[in-house]
Amino acid sequence: MSTIRRKHTPHEVDELLSRVTEIEDLVRFPSVIGHFASAKSLAMLIARHAPTESVANLATQLASEFDALEEPELPLSTNDVLLNKLLWKLRRALEQAKKEFPRRH
């Protein structure tokens, strides 16, 4: 079942892209208490305000990955391939959504 999403402005997509940057900053120092929880919250915010279903799905997957990495027995590392891949895909999907807005002259 597909959810109808409201139209977003380029400014709103820029705000979501800035949240991706915040997530990237947080995972640079993953051993700092609270960083993964904050990153997960930001990913869920992106999912709730996503301009497309694909962005929402990627943000939800990213939040799930943060859940998996929060386990205390796992070594926390920014070298997590899946985490970095999801962040890259999320950024690209948001950039693509922004490009789809008609240009104003």
Side-chain angles (χ1 to χ4, degrees):
M1 180 164 66
S2 179
T3 304
I4 297 173
R5 296 199 172 267
R6 72 173 184 80
K7 297 282 185 190
H8 285 71
T9 66
H11 176 72
E12 289 171 319
V13 176
D14 282 338
E15 286 294 318
L16 296 176
L17 280 164
S18 73
R19 301 298 172 250
V20 173
T21 300
E22 286 182 57
I23 293 170
E24 291 166 342
D25 290 344
L26 287 168
V27 299
R28 282 194 187 114
F29 302 102
S31 61
V32 175
I33 295 173
H35 275 202
F36 272 31
S38 296
K40 179 186 172 189
S41 293
L42 288 168
M44 292 308 297
L45 180 139
I46 293 168
R48 284 191 302 276
H49 295 94
T52 65
E53 287 295 318
S54 64
V55 169
N57 289 335
L58 286 166
T60 302
Q61 288 176 39
L62 186 60
S64 295
E65 182 66 9
F66 286 124
D67 271 344
L69 292 173
E70 260 186 329
E71 297 297 323
E73 67 272 4
L74 293 175
L76 299 179
S77 169
T78 57
N79 293 329
D80 185 270
V81 174
L82 180 57
L83 179 68
N84 289 322
K85 185 176 180 180
L86 285 169
L87 278 166
W88 179 82
K89 284 183 172 183
L90 180 58
R91 179 174 289 286
R92 296 285 297 156
L94 283 166
E95 289 169 349
Q96 183 61 40
K98 186 177 174 185
K99 286 180 185 177
E100 293 174 5
F101 288 104
R103 301 218 184 250
R104 295 184 185 173
H105 297 284

